[in-house]
Amino acid sequence: MNTTLTHSDDLETADTTSSWVLRSVPFGIFLIIASVIGFLASFSLSAEKYEKLANPDVVLSCDLNPFFSCGSVMEHAEAELLGFPNQLMGIAAFVFPLLLGVLILSGTRLPRWVMVGLNIGLACGVALVMFLFYVSIYKIGVGCPWCIIVWTVTIPMFMAVTARNLLTGAFGRKAAGNAVARVLAKENIVLSVLWLLIILACIVVQFWAFFSNLF
């Protein structure tokens, strides 16, 4: 008995091997690895948070120097946007793509609404990541090492899932048939790296007093 679910089969093209996001094995493995990294970073940050609450004077493992310190960022209101530590959102949020990664790796075809829902969730995650990036680097003036790891996995996940949804027609036939959109989707790795390099450049420029001493 075939229990797999269809996902825009009529829009699957013959060139599914032209992009890694359309192949179940690499895409599923990517979602699993990225989700595990994000989950562990969020969990570690959460553990550090409660350690900080128990002992405000403790030096956390992620307190590397005055420029990169989780403890310093935790002291600001933006660390609890919804009234509880942001890292708890990360712990919960990474479970969903982890589960979907396992299902995709097993060969299960997921319904369109599931993948679109994942895309919307990751879009919200990226928006939050960019907001926290701005607040952390430019307002607070301190980089949170565990947070940076979360940023590093969230952005490529968003780009990869968006690319897969566009190429499989989850966003509709018009979007799937747009030549420019398809080219950008197939270059999701390049775009992700470029995005992360821009963030890295911003951090280096903002904390140049620290990085200049490394040379």
Side-chain angles (χ1 to χ4, degrees):
M1 179 179 178
N2 185 3
T3 59
T4 58
L5 300 171
T6 60
H7 173 212
S8 52
D9 292 330
D10 57 322
L11 293 172
E12 294 283 2
T13 59
D15 65 337
T16 54
T17 58
S18 62
S19 178
W20 71 275
V21 297
L22 296 177
R23 301 200 294 274
S24 296
V25 173
F27 184 72
I29 291 176
F30 167 73
L31 281 184
I32 292 171
I33 293 176
S35 297
V36 168
I37 293 174
F39 178 87
L40 291 177
S42 298
F43 182 83
S44 297
L45 189 57
S46 180
E48 301 271 21
K49 171 69 173 182
Y50 287 108
E51 185 176 355
K52 185 76 172 178
L53 290 174
N55 182 7
D57 297 324
V58 68
V59 177
L60 304 177
S61 63
C62 54
D63 293 338
L64 306 181
N65 52 57
F67 296 93
F68 295 95
S69 169
C70 297
S72 298
V73 176
M74 289 177 186
E75 297 173 356
H76 292 262
E78 289 82 359
E80 299 184 5
L81 292 176
L82 299 180
F84 55 85
N86 296 337
Q87 52 268 31
L88 295 181
M89 287 189 287
I91 292 176
F94 284 112
V95 172
F96 187 55
L98 174 60
L99 174 61
L100 295 188
V102 172
L103 291 175
I104 292 172
L105 185 61
S106 70
T108 302
R109 285 186 177 275
L110 301 172
R112 177 183 302 183
W113 66 268
V114 172
M115 292 304 297
V116 172
L118 175 60
N119 219 149
I120 294 173
L122 286 172
C124 293
V126 165
L128 179 61
V129 158
M130 295 310 298
F131 171 74
L132 294 176
F133 157 72
Y134 171 78
V135 170
S136 176
I137 303 303
Y138 292 101
K139 184 178 178 181
I140 299 175
V142 179
C144 168
W146 288 123
C147 300
I148 292 175
I149 293 176
V150 172
W151 305 346
T152 304
V153 296
T154 302
I155 290 173
M157 286 176 69
F158 167 71
M159 295 297 290
V161 171
T162 301
R164 182 181 175 91
N165 281 336
L166 189 145
L167 293 174
T168 58
F171 295 145
R173 291 178 180 273
K174 186 174 181 179
N178 186 289
V180 175
R182 292 183 68 83
V183 169
L184 292 176
K186 292 178 181 180
E187 297 299 331
N188 61 88
I189 294 179
V190 174
L191 294 177
S192 296
V193 171
L194 179 61
W195 191 339
L196 292 173
L197 285 177
I198 292 174
I199 289 178
L200 176 60
C202 291
I203 293 174
V204 171
V205 171
Q206 188 68 10
F207 299 152
W208 182 245
F210 166 73
F211 286 102
S212 63
N213 292 325
L214 299 179
F215 303 101

